[in-house]
Amino acid sequence: MSSTAGKMVTSRSELELDHPNIEDYLPSGSSINEPRGKLRLRDLLDISPTLTEAAGAIVDDSFTRCFKSNPPEPWNWNIYLFPLWCCGVVVRYCLLFPLRCITLAFGWFIFLSTFIPRVLVEMICSFFVASWTGVVRYHGPRPSIRPKQVYVANHTSMIDFIVLEQMTAFAVIMQKHPGWVGLLQSTILESVGCIWFNRSEAKDREIVARKLRNHVQGTDNNPLLIFPEGTCVNNNYTVMFKKGAFELDCTVCPIAIKYNKIFVDAFWNSRKQSFTMHLLQLMTSWAVVCEVWYLEPQTIRPGETAIEFAERVRDMISHRAGLKKVPWDGYLKYSRPSSKHSERKQQSFAESILARLEVK
């Protein structure tokens, strides 16, 4: 009963964050319930000089929440629970972690000694999942090799690719990474048709677009997997889908991925944590629990634009995985929005307030 009440309080607080109380940003003594004459946007801004500043803060907060890790709630707060927590740390780091390292090392040994690209890429991904004690449930028909189709999924971490790859040898579109991850990309993963790009290179977009069109036309190519958000989001929200995957004149197969955060938060915040440390965090947790849904394939409708098609598919994924949609471009994570962009968002927010006042 208490846990149910706790969930209700949590969901209520999240709802309040997504729908802030407008009256909190009006001058003292004012209320949107008071009768008013017809107001213009300029009058509204004159009434509350802090309104635009507050609007900017709310807009900024709704964006940054998409990329924040959820800190674990402390439960070892008394003398009875602390010894259990200490035992758990010993088991995870001194027993499970060495066994997982041995499992992963064994998988790499098999992979490097008998390299057969399509089969063994799936196998090494299975060893990665085993090294986290991954518990993954797949729903829906398994992807098959067919021409003129592309798979799209929401993106939480680079392990999304590993979770999906252990079932099907996808060719993925991915940012080029440095270090040992980049070495694997340029050697092993290219053997299954993966395509790499660099966000900072404008020419890469044209090259990648051409490679995408060529890949989806091939009859023997591995299924193409794209993460259209273009960045990792914390598995509570979905940001805008890039339209590139929806302009290929092919069938789009949505995939919804949802992680259960009871044991570990699978979100990879690449600005604060290297992928190596991210894997270490997963390997020292109790387990990674995940649900994957292969949804009904979709085609663009008559008169529908690529952007509208992308939003329709995002609706399906968000609804299935229980994620909240936000109207933000994920690339803003890497570059601060211009002042003009922020002003437009603030003005849009102020206009929504004006509309509520006129309704009242």
Side-chain angles (χ1 to χ4, degrees):
M1 187 73 178
S2 60
S3 61
T4 304
K7 290 179 180 177
M8 291 177 64
V9 171
T10 302
S11 62
R12 188 180 306 160
S13 62
E14 290 178 353
L15 186 62
E16 290 172 355
L17 282 173
D18 290 331
H19 303 283
N21 184 9
I22 305 304
E23 293 188 354
D24 292 341
Y25 300 94
L26 294 176
S28 58
S30 300
S31 172
I32 59 176
N33 294 320
E34 295 177 4
R36 297 179 182 270
K38 186 178 175 86
L39 291 178
R40 295 171 297 176
L41 177 60
R42 184 177 59 196
D43 299 328
L44 182 62
L45 298 178
D46 290 339
I47 290 172
S48 177
T50 60
L51 179 60
T52 53
E53 182 180 352
I58 292 173
V59 164
D60 184 62
D61 186 59
S62 70
F63 174 72
T64 56
R65 280 207 310 273
C66 300
F67 308 102
K68 284 184 178 178
S69 302
N70 297 318
E73 296 183 4
W75 58 270
N76 57 337
W77 48 270
N78 64 27
I79 194 172
Y80 304 106
L81 295 176
F82 186 72
L84 294 176
W85 178 81
C86 292
C87 291
V89 171
V90 171
V91 170
R92 287 189 289 117
Y93 282 85
C94 298
L95 179 61
L96 292 181
F97 180 60
L99 289 175
R100 291 166 176 174
C101 289
I102 293 172
T103 300
L104 189 57
F106 179 67
W108 276 113
F109 174 76
I110 297 176
F111 179 83
L112 296 175
S113 59
T114 57
F115 180 61
I116 304 173
R118 181 173 295 180
V119 176
L120 289 185
V121 166
E122 295 180 24
M123 186 209 71
I124 192 61
C125 288
S126 298
F127 274 99
F128 266 107
V129 174
S131 72
W132 319 321
T133 313
V135 181
V136 186
R137 293 198 301 176
Y138 298 89
H139 310 270
R142 180 173 172 170
S144 58
I145 298 178
R146 295 178 183 176
K148 301 197 70 174
Q149 71 174 9
V150 59
Y151 288 82
V152 298
N154 58 298
H155 198 23
T156 305
S157 166
M158 207 188 304
I159 71 167
D160 299 336
F161 166 71
I162 298 175
V163 167
L164 297 176
E165 194 78 4
Q166 75 162 345
M167 292 295 290
T168 303
F170 284 108
V172 70
I173 312 301
M174 188 184 294
Q175 163 76 22
K176 182 68 176 177
H177 291 273
W180 66 270
V181 176
L183 179 63
L184 293 181
Q185 288 179 316
S186 59
T187 55
I188 297 172
L189 294 180
E190 279 193 359
S191 64
V192 292
C194 296
I195 302 171
W196 317 119
F197 66 91
N198 193 332
R199 289 189 183 92
S200 61
E201 295 291 336
K203 294 181 180 179
D204 278 11
R205 298 181 182 179
E206 299 177 3
I207 297 173
V208 168
R210 184 171 63 253
K211 288 183 177 179
L212 289 179
R213 287 190 290 270
N214 293 337
H215 188 100
V216 297
Q217 299 298 329
T219 56
D220 296 326
N221 293 334
N222 289 341
L224 187 63
L225 173 64
I226 300 177
F227 299 104
E229 290 173 297
T231 187
C232 296
V233 187
N234 64 8
N235 210 227
N236 291 324
Y237 301 87
T238 56
V239 297
M240 291 170 56
F241 280 11
K242 304 296 181 185
K243 65 177 182 177
F246 304 88
E247 295 179 318
L248 300 175
D249 189 29
C250 62
T251 301
V252 174
C253 306
I255 303 176
I257 306 173
K258 181 64 176 178
Y259 293 95
N260 189 324
K261 301 177 183 179
I262 186 172
F263 296 122
V264 66
D265 186 359
F267 170 56
W268 178 37
N269 190 338
S270 58
R271 291 197 162 203
K272 295 184 178 180
Q273 188 182 48
S274 67
F275 187 65
T276 302
M277 294 305 297
H278 180 56
L279 285 180
L280 182 63
Q281 178 186 359
L282 300 180
M283 292 176 69
T284 53
S285 68
W286 286 111
V288 174
V289 182
C290 178
E291 301 274 352
V292 176
W293 293 272
Y294 298 108
L295 305 179
E296 184 179 353
Q298 302 293 312
T299 55
I300 193 167
R301 295 169 179 170
E304 189 176 41
T305 65
I307 295 176
E308 292 169 341
F309 186 23
E311 280 300 294
R312 179 161 60 86
V313 172
R314 183 162 77 112
D315 284 340
M316 292 178 61
I317 293 175
S318 301
H319 176 73
R320 178 63 272 186
L323 307 175
K324 301 173 185 176
K325 290 177 55 182
V326 291
W328 291 109
D329 185 340
Y331 278 4
L332 294 178
K333 174 182 177 181
Y334 302 97
S335 59
R336 190 71 180 175
S338 65
S339 57
K340 289 184 178 180
H341 180 82
S342 298
E343 288 173 4
R344 286 197 299 268
K345 287 293 183 181
Q346 293 173 16
Q347 184 172 358
S348 174
F349 177 79
E351 287 174 350
S352 68
I353 297 175
L354 178 60
R356 287 187 58 180
L357 288 170
E358 289 178 343
V359 169
K360 293 290 183 180

